[in-house]
Amino acid sequence: MIILKYPMFDFNNYSIKQKLLIVFIFFKAIPLIILAVLSIYSFLEIDALLKESYKDMIQQSKSSVKKTTDIAISESIVALDIKSQSVLENKTKNIANNVARFLYQRDSDILLLSSLDIDKNTLQNFYNLKRSKVYIPSEYFYDKLKNKWVSKTKQPAQKEQAFETHAMFKNFHKVKKQEAVQKSIPLYKEISFYKPDGKEIYKVSALDKKLKDISNKNNSYLRAEDYFLEAKKLKKGEIYVSRVIGEYIPSPVIGSFTKEKAKLAGIKFEPEKYAYAGKENPLGKKFSGIIRFVTPVYKGSKLQGFLTLALDHQHVMNFTDFHDSLSLNTLDISDASNGNYAFMWDNQFTSISHPRDYFIVGYDSKTGEQVPGWTTLEMEKRFIQSKEKDFGKFLKTQSTFFEQSSDKKPSISQAKKGQVALDCKYLNFAPQCQGWVEILKNGGFGSFVVSWSNISKLNTVAPIPYYTGQYKNSEVGFGFVTIGTNVNEFHKAAINTRKNIDKVLEVEYANIQKSIEDTSSKIYNNIQRHIILITSLTILLIALVVYIAIYISYSISKRLSKIITGTQKLKEKDFDYQLECNNNDELGELCRSFNTMAASIKDLTQNLENKLYTDDLTKLSSRPALYRDIKSNEFNCLLIFDIDSFKSINDHYGAHAGNYILVEFATILQKFGLKHKLHPYRVGSDEFVLLTHNYLTNEQIKSIVSKLDQTISSSFFKCDKCSMDTTISFTCGASSNLSSPIECADLALNEAKLKKLTLMIYDDTNPNMNKHSEFILWKQKIIYAIENNNIIPYFQPIIDVKNPESKKYECLIRMIDNENIISPYMFLDISKEARLYPQLTRIMIEKSFEYFHNSDATFSINISIDDIQNKETLEFMDEQLLKYDVGDRLILEILESEEIDNFDVIFPFIKKMKAKGVRFAVDDFGSGYSNFSYLLKMKPDLLKIDGSLIKNISKGSDEYYVVDAIVKFASALDIELVAEFVSTKNILDTLKEFDIDFMQGYYFSEPRADAN
């Protein structure tokens, strides 16, 4: 390269700006270059716009078709749901009507037989004559290799005869009728005639052929029948009909009875010893029950005795056990495994027919008592606390259909015993029971969809309209039939249609995309030719400046490269690197400034690192240094120490004494750490850490802590200036957790403090140490709910005793989590720990105020002392009161607790709010921290009596007298009273004896999303 040596061309004496001006002005190429660049840019912009337009067209087309498809499929699914729902409702009603007709035929049987001359032969002939067909389940065997039950019967391949449909036929569809095998069996298990004194005279029986005195209940079937006494009440032509009576058959295995499940249940694989469950346990014991029909027999006007027919319950079960809810055909064996099956309940809401016989309510043949139905873990705990020995008697004292929810857990002990019969009255973990109750009122029938075991299920229900005897005044007659069906079964056709449409659209979009790409390619080639032409013309002129351009680029780029190298060294924290500065232009000045900056950063970084990674007091490494060292090593074993009673030492001897102890403890820790190859840190006020990157066993950790404990306990901490001479001790938590050793050691430390131990090593099987995972999970749920508007108010009515038409509500917080409504008991305390509680309060204030803005109803919301002390919350409440103008209808409920004693904090707030018309209530009054002097100062408008007093109240109980005292106290101060937790009529009747202004509870209404 030739470099000009003349002084006027010595570019080292010019600034960069001057150099660039000289080059471009000298050649006057600026207009041409700009024109060329603009032309090229315009062509490229046209190409980009065309591509973007094509992309938008495709995207808009996709979006439109997608929306149209979604709307069509969604409407199809809705239509399918409605149609399927209607079909299944009618199918359920038809089954129920068939059952009723069958039972009425038994009425005709017994009245007919009672009109004949009764003797042994008459009964025998009637028994032989009365038969009916029942479905016989196909035989199954247990396949050990597949670990499941397999049918012994192989279905032969059916050849369909070819049939050419007529041109006018469309959608030709033939359903081939397939029925299960049937067998004719006697309708009755027993026919008997007994004298008015209860002594049987004639009997034909498959139960017990011996003639007995049935006035003694122990001589009846399973010792459970009381028809002798009931029959005495009958008039001529009347019939007594019993409930379904059969021996309960347990099963500790729910679902398919496999070897694996038997092992988990702790039993041998002996399916024949447990309840029959159709396809899930085809070898089990079948439920064998009867329904007893009784009518008096007269000769003229004289009572001769009583005739009984014991209907074989198998005939009743036959109506539902082999039913297929999604087909016109019958099943070859009852099957509950796919969730699509029918079952039956009596008028007492107990199960009398189910594909799984262990769900049928039965009797204990030893006692003659009904075996208690499966209930919740909560009910089981209440039974243990009640000291009652008989679980069945205990259940009769409990509220029926009480707060039924899928969130509740079933009793584990009952499941282990196999005692899992279904009694809807106490099946409180199955909310569909309440759905059936609501639909069946006044003889109604219908359906609803419920989420059960994470599956959406359509439940249809219809009453059995049989009204003989004790069923005469029953809303549901004999009982009711239900069918459960998976909702997704209805949607298969629509979902498959969506998939087919998506496939077609993908092919079409691919073709369109290819066509656009071909057109775009042609346009691009044309533009490219124009660009080449313009570029070629421009290059001819620019070639003249190549020599000088090379020189300038070489001169500038070489020096800029040095500066870039310097910045890279600076990034790599090499603060000693210096640039050469031989020029006097701007780049030379930039080099000198860079060198000065590097030196300054070096000094500043060293000072910051010293302050960041070293504790000022003890000179040990600090918490940031601990985090740095943990992050830079794959394995970390960490011991965290907390000086016991350090606050007491600080408070008693002063801060100087505390600092003295910290420094001395740090000195001991440093020497100890050096000896045992452990690095010491100070990470908190009186918290220290020893860290090693080597693996330590639990025994090694215990040995290290024991040695340090001996060293510390033998040391005396004497400070003459502080007048202190004392010894100290410590508590230690240790962890070798790979992902979060500090957090785990902290958990172990807290557990050690709680149990007053010197050392605790982290163990993730210890629930107290592992609870942080649950905290993190719920914290994330709360944050997600806040960000996605899933914190909502629910409203529970407050009933004005003297003016029931008056509208009052309490606003209660709820959280939506995956379409489930979550109670505040699950997340409110965690929100306080996570410092999210103020946000929840502000959401409740805004949504409650907005909801009641255009209403004349009075409403209340709950606030805490934390809310009152939170400046942002109070300012927000002022803004919302001004915005929605609800002050004269607002009641603020303050929880009665120990915190409420801080009257100086809440008094200004109460005074300010009352000036705006807001009223105040003290919530949970009587819960244990009542401060009457505080109440006299506060002068609340209402007292809400604590729910623990109300839900356990009865005439003459301790709660009764406490409530009486509260009522008199409130009356003396002219304060209105609200009774919470009014859940039953008994509680309501007891409270009517007191002068209580308002009542609230599930007896009136549970909290709902809509106050209307």
Side-chain angles (χ1 to χ4, degrees):
M1 180 183 293
I2 301 173
I3 300 177
L4 301 177
K5 296 294 184 180
Y6 297 103
M8 64 175 298
F9 294 110
D10 187 358
F11 283 85
N12 290 330
N13 296 323
Y14 291 87
S15 67
I16 293 176
K17 181 179 179 181
Q18 290 171 328
K19 293 170 184 175
L20 293 174
L21 286 172
I22 290 170
V23 171
F24 287 100
I25 291 173
F26 181 81
F27 291 100
K28 298 181 179 180
I30 294 173
L32 182 61
I33 293 172
I34 291 174
L35 182 61
V37 169
L38 288 175
S39 299
I40 293 170
Y41 177 78
S42 298
F43 286 132
L44 293 175
E45 190 176 45
I46 290 170
D47 181 56
L49 286 171
L50 286 171
K51 288 180 179 179
E52 192 65 31
S53 297
Y54 290 147
K55 189 185 297 183
D56 288 344
M57 287 169 61
I58 293 175
Q59 197 60 39
Q60 288 176 7
S61 176
K62 275 187 176 182
S63 177
S64 299
V65 174
K66 184 74 168 59
K67 288 179 181 178
T68 304
T69 303
D70 288 345
I71 291 171
I73 297 300
S74 298
E75 290 179 351
S76 298
I77 287 175
V78 171
L80 284 170
D81 283 349
I82 293 172
K83 182 63 178 177
S84 303
Q85 193 167 0
S86 175
V87 169
L88 284 176
E89 285 176 353
N90 286 320
K91 184 180 284 191
T92 309
K93 186 179 179 183
N94 290 337
I95 294 174
N97 289 338
N98 290 338
V99 175
R101 280 193 292 272
F102 177 78
L103 293 173
Y104 275 124
Q105 289 169 1
R106 307 290 73 76
D107 290 356
S108 299
D109 284 353
I110 195 167
L111 292 177
L112 172 63
L113 185 56
S114 69
S115 67
L116 304 177
D117 292 332
I118 296 176
D119 56 25
K120 176 73 173 179
N121 289 333
T122 303
L123 299 188
Q124 185 67 57
N125 290 335
F126 195 84
Y127 178 87
N128 295 337
L129 179 65
K130 290 295 179 179
R131 302 175 69 87
S132 182
K133 289 183 178 181
V134 294
Y135 294 112
I136 304 301
S138 59
E139 295 185 2
Y140 276 69
F141 71 94
Y142 189 74
D143 190 323
K144 296 180 181 179
L145 295 177
K146 296 180 180 179
N147 195 27
K148 68 177 185 178
W149 296 97
V150 179
S151 175
K152 290 183 179 180
T153 306
K154 291 186 177 180
Q155 297 296 332
Q158 298 290 335
K159 290 186 177 180
E160 288 288 344
Q161 185 176 356
F163 174 69
E164 185 175 345
T165 59
H166 194 277
M168 67 183 292
F169 294 160
K170 293 183 179 180
N171 300 327
F172 189 81
H173 175 232
K174 176 181 177 182
V175 177
K176 183 162 186 178
K177 189 68 173 177
Q178 293 180 349
E179 290 286 349
V181 178
Q182 290 184 306
K183 177 183 178 183
S184 177
I185 65 171
L187 274 170
Y188 302 105
K189 286 191 174 183
E190 181 176 278
I191 303 177
S192 69
F193 177 78
Y194 67 88
K195 289 293 187 179
D197 61 359
K199 293 179 180 176
E200 294 177 331
I201 305 301
Y202 308 116
K203 182 162 68 174
V204 179
S205 178
L207 299 175
D208 187 350
K209 300 185 182 302
K210 184 178 179 182
L211 296 174
K212 295 184 177 181
D213 180 0
I214 56 89
S215 65
N216 183 350
K217 187 177 180 179
N218 288 332
N219 289 330
S220 67
Y221 183 54
L222 300 179
R223 302 184 179 184
E225 296 187 275
D226 53 6
Y227 63 90
F228 173 74
L229 295 176
E230 294 296 328
K232 284 188 173 185
K233 304 173 186 177
L234 297 174
K235 297 177 183 178
K236 187 175 182 180
E238 291 183 336
I239 303 172
Y240 165 77
V241 186
S242 74
R243 298 179 65 190
V244 174
I245 299 171
E247 184 169 8
Y248 178 67
I249 310 173
S251 174
V253 174
I254 306 296
S256 187
F257 200 116
T258 63
K259 285 190 174 182
E260 184 180 359
K261 285 191 176 181
K263 184 177 180 181
L264 290 173
I267 60 173
K268 293 181 180 179
F269 181 68
E270 299 172 320
E272 67 279 0
K273 289 187 176 181
Y274 302 101
Y276 175 80
K279 191 175 181 179
E280 296 175 331
N281 182 7
L283 301 185
K285 297 179 183 178
K286 293 185 178 181
F287 179 83
S288 179
I290 65 168
I291 302 172
R292 181 81 65 174
F293 293 74
V294 185
T295 192
V297 178
Y298 282 84
K299 184 171 271 188
S301 61
K302 186 176 180 181
L303 177 65
Q304 300 297 306
F306 294 88
L307 179 68
T308 81
L309 301 181
L311 174 65
D312 187 344
H313 181 53
Q314 184 178 355
H315 292 285
V316 177
M317 296 172 68
N318 203 55
F319 283 97
T320 56
D321 276 6
F322 293 85
H323 175 78
D324 186 347
S325 61
L326 298 175
S327 172
L328 296 174
N329 297 320
T330 54
L331 299 169
D332 64 343
I333 188 171
S334 60
D335 183 11
S337 62
N338 60 12
N340 302 318
Y341 55 88
F343 44 110
M344 205 179 308
W345 308 76
D346 66 12
N347 69 333
Q348 300 299 315
F349 282 79
T350 59
S351 174
I352 59 171
S353 175
H354 198 284
R356 296 165 173 162
D357 283 17
Y358 46 77
F359 281 159
I360 301 175
V361 174
Y363 290 79
D364 186 339
S365 60
K366 295 179 181 178
T367 65
E369 296 294 329
Q370 181 176 300
V371 176
W374 201 9
T375 184
T376 60
L377 193 61
E378 176 187 9
M379 187 74 77
E380 180 184 308
K381 290 179 181 177
R382 288 210 298 268
F383 168 64
I384 295 170
Q385 293 169 356
S386 72
K387 307 299 183 183
E388 171 66 57
K389 294 182 180 179
D390 190 311
F391 190 44
K393 290 181 181 179
F394 166 77
L395 282 179
K396 292 177 181 178
T397 66
Q398 302 302 301
S399 300
T400 58
F401 303 100
F402 181 69
E403 296 181 351
Q404 294 188 335
S405 168
S406 57
D407 292 335
K408 294 188 176 181
K409 304 298 181 185
S411 166
I412 298 173
S413 66
Q414 282 186 288
K416 286 183 178 178
K417 290 189 294 185
Q419 192 183 92
V420 291
L422 304 183
D423 185 342
C424 252
K425 298 187 293 298
Y426 309 106
L427 197 65
N428 293 335
F429 57 83
Q432 52 264 53
C433 288
Q434 286 188 328
W436 294 330
V437 170
E438 289 300 318
I439 289 176
L440 290 168
K441 285 181 179 178
N442 301 317
F445 77 100
S447 62
F448 56 84
V449 175
V450 65
S451 178
W452 186 248
S453 299
N454 296 322
I455 298 174
S456 291
K457 296 199 69 173
L458 173 66
N459 276 263
T460 59
V461 59
I464 301 171
Y466 173 74
Y467 302 104
T468 299
Q470 65 172 308
Y471 304 104
K472 181 177 181 181
N473 298 318
S474 169
E475 277 193 337
V476 296
F478 182 74
F480 57 96
V481 175
T482 62
I483 297 179
T485 311
N486 294 338
V487 173
N488 287 342
E489 297 287 346
F490 310 150
H491 305 163
K492 282 184 178 179
I495 291 171
N496 289 335
T497 300
R498 184 198 297 272
K499 291 179 179 177
N500 292 334
I501 291 174
D502 288 344
K503 289 179 181 178
V504 172
L505 290 177
E506 285 300 321
V507 172
E508 290 302 317
Y509 288 142
N511 292 336
I512 294 172
Q513 182 68 38
K514 187 177 184 306
S515 175
I516 290 173
E517 287 176 356
D518 291 343
T519 303
S520 179
S521 177
K522 292 176 182 178
I523 294 171
Y524 178 76
N525 291 336
N526 195 311
I527 291 173
Q528 200 172 37
R529 285 196 297 272
H530 286 80
I531 292 174
I532 292 171
L533 179 61
I534 294 173
T535 303
S536 299
L537 294 173
T538 306
I539 288 173
L540 292 175
L541 296 174
I542 295 177
L544 299 175
V545 302
V546 169
Y547 173 79
I548 296 176
I550 292 174
Y551 175 78
I552 293 175
S553 64
Y554 174 79
S555 174
I556 295 176
S557 62
K558 182 179 178 182
R559 294 161 67 192
L560 286 176
S561 294
K562 291 181 179 179
I563 296 175
I564 292 171
T565 301
T567 57
Q568 187 63 36
K569 294 288 185 181
L570 199 63
K571 183 179 179 181
E572 295 170 359
K573 298 183 180 179
D574 183 0
F575 303 124
D576 294 322
Y577 183 81
Q578 295 284 299
L579 300 176
E580 292 182 7
C581 305
N582 299 324
N583 301 96
N584 297 321
D585 58 11
E586 286 87 343
L587 287 177
E589 188 63 31
L590 181 60
C591 288
R592 286 186 284 275
S593 298
F594 177 87
N595 291 340
T596 303
M597 178 183 69
S600 300
I601 291 175
K602 178 181 178 182
D603 294 339
L604 181 60
T605 301
Q606 288 176 345
N607 291 335
L608 287 175
E609 283 189 352
N610 289 336
K611 290 184 178 181
L612 180 63
Y613 295 121
T614 304
D615 179 57
D616 287 339
L617 179 64
T618 63
K619 306 308 177 188
L620 294 180
S621 297
S622 64
R623 179 178 284 270
L626 176 63
Y627 283 115
R628 177 199 61 195
D629 296 345
I630 287 176
K631 187 176 181 181
S632 60
N633 290 275
E634 291 185 4
F635 187 84
N636 301 281
C637 183
L638 185 144
L639 291 78
I640 186 167
F641 300 87
D642 185 274
I643 300 174
D644 297 335
S645 305
F646 180 74
K647 186 176 184 302
S648 299
I649 295 172
N650 237 356
D651 293 343
H652 186 71
Y653 296 106
H656 292 296
N659 289 343
Y660 173 79
I661 287 198
L662 293 175
V663 172
E664 292 299 310
F665 187 84
T667 303
I668 294 172
L669 206 62
Q670 192 166 31
K671 292 178 181 178
F672 184 83
L674 186 64
K675 181 178 179 181
H676 293 86
K677 298 181 180 179
L678 300 165
H679 191 75
Y681 302 81
R682 183 189 178 203
V683 296
S685 173
D686 60 334
E687 286 188 351
F688 295 83
V689 164
L690 286 175
L691 176 70
T692 178
H693 305 304
N694 299 321
Y695 175 76
L696 296 179
T697 65
N698 287 356
E699 293 304 320
Q700 289 175 318
I701 293 173
K702 291 176 183 177
S703 175
I704 289 170
V705 173
S706 177
K707 290 176 183 178
L708 180 60
D709 185 38
Q710 292 174 8
T711 303
I712 294 297
S713 60
S714 62
S715 301
F716 288 89
F717 294 82
K718 184 175 182 180
C719 177
D720 295 332
K721 293 182 180 180
C722 310
S723 301
M724 180 185 70
D725 186 358
T726 186
T727 60
I728 64 171
S729 61
F730 62 78
T731 303
C732 177
S735 170
S736 299
N737 187 282
L738 293 175
S739 59
S740 51
I742 298 176
E743 292 81 356
C744 293
D746 267 331
L747 289 168
L749 177 63
N750 292 335
E751 185 71 1
K753 289 179 180 178
L754 183 65
K755 294 185 176 179
K756 301 189 183 304
L757 299 175
T758 300
L759 170 66
M760 182 67 78
I761 300 173
Y762 177 75
D763 180 2
D764 59 8
T765 63
N766 186 323
N768 291 333
M769 295 187 196
N770 201 24
K771 63 184 179 181
H772 70 290
S773 60
E774 183 178 357
F775 171 83
I776 293 170
L777 173 65
W778 278 101
K779 179 180 177 182
Q780 291 172 345
K781 286 178 179 286
I782 296 169
I783 293 172
Y784 181 84
I786 291 172
E787 292 176 349
N788 291 274
N789 197 29
N790 284 340
I791 300 297
I792 60 172
Y794 262 43
F795 311 101
Q796 187 173 34
I798 301 172
I799 307 303
D800 190 329
V801 176
K802 298 174 183 176
N803 182 18
E805 298 300 321
S806 176
K807 297 179 181 178
K808 287 184 171 61
Y809 300 91
E810 180 178 0
C811 304
L812 301 166
I813 192 168
R814 294 290 187 270
M815 182 173 78
I816 302 174
D817 179 31
N818 292 329
E819 298 183 359
N820 295 319
I821 302 300
I822 307 300
S823 166
Y825 301 109
M826 300 296 294
F827 64 86
L828 211 55
D829 288 341
I830 293 175
S831 73
K832 293 178 181 179
E833 293 181 44
R835 299 182 181 179
L836 298 169
Y837 181 75
Q839 295 182 56
L840 301 186
T841 299
R842 291 195 281 273
I843 291 171
M844 280 296 292
I845 289 172
E846 182 175 15
K847 290 191 175 183
S848 300
F849 284 15
E850 181 181 10
Y851 188 88
F852 288 104
H853 172 48
N854 294 319
S855 169
D856 59 352
T858 299
F859 66 99
S860 65
I861 61 174
N862 293 278
I863 62 170
S864 67
I865 296 300
D866 292 337
D867 294 325
I868 296 173
Q869 292 176 326
N870 189 301
K871 183 180 177 182
E872 292 181 3
T873 299
L874 296 188
E875 290 177 352
F876 183 79
M877 185 180 291
D878 285 338
E879 293 172 1
Q880 298 303 305
L881 281 171
L882 184 63
K883 179 178 180 181
Y884 292 108
D885 190 24
V886 293
D888 59 338
R889 291 181 285 113
L890 173 63
I891 299 173
L892 295 179
E893 296 187 17
I894 302 178
L895 183 67
E896 184 204 23
S897 66
E898 292 174 305
E899 295 175 333
I900 209 166
D901 293 335
N902 194 354
F903 187 70
D904 292 337
V905 174
I906 69 170
F907 178 73
F909 170 72
I910 293 173
K911 184 176 180 181
K912 178 181 178 182
M913 288 294 108
K914 283 193 172 186
K916 297 181 179 183
V918 178
R919 289 182 291 166
F920 283 83
V922 174
D923 197 9
D924 291 350
F925 185 75
S927 57
Y929 302 104
S930 303
N931 187 326
F932 292 100
S933 62
Y934 161 74
L935 290 174
L936 292 173
K937 290 180 182 179
M938 178 183 173
K939 297 180 180 179
D941 301 282
L942 298 98
L943 291 181
K944 301 192 77 172
I945 304 173
D946 183 56
S948 64
L949 297 173
I950 299 301
K951 65 182 179 182
N952 296 317
I953 195 169
S954 62
K955 183 72 173 181
S957 64
D958 292 341
E959 290 84 0
Y960 182 90
Y961 294 113
V962 172
V963 171
D964 183 48
I966 292 173
V967 171
K968 291 175 181 176
F969 168 75
S971 177
L973 294 181
D974 194 23
I975 299 174
E976 292 182 317
L977 280 176
V978 181
E980 299 184 284
F981 283 75
V982 181
S983 58
T984 66
K985 189 174 186 303
N986 290 337
I987 293 175
L988 176 65
D989 292 340
T990 304
L991 292 175
K992 285 181 179 178
E993 299 179 17
F994 301 105
D995 185 16
I996 294 177
D997 303 282
F998 305 98
M999 294 190 189
Q1000 177 181 355
Y1002 276 35
Y1003 180 78
F1004 304 106
S1005 172
E1006 63 183 52
R1008 298 181 184 276
D1010 187 354
N1012 297 319

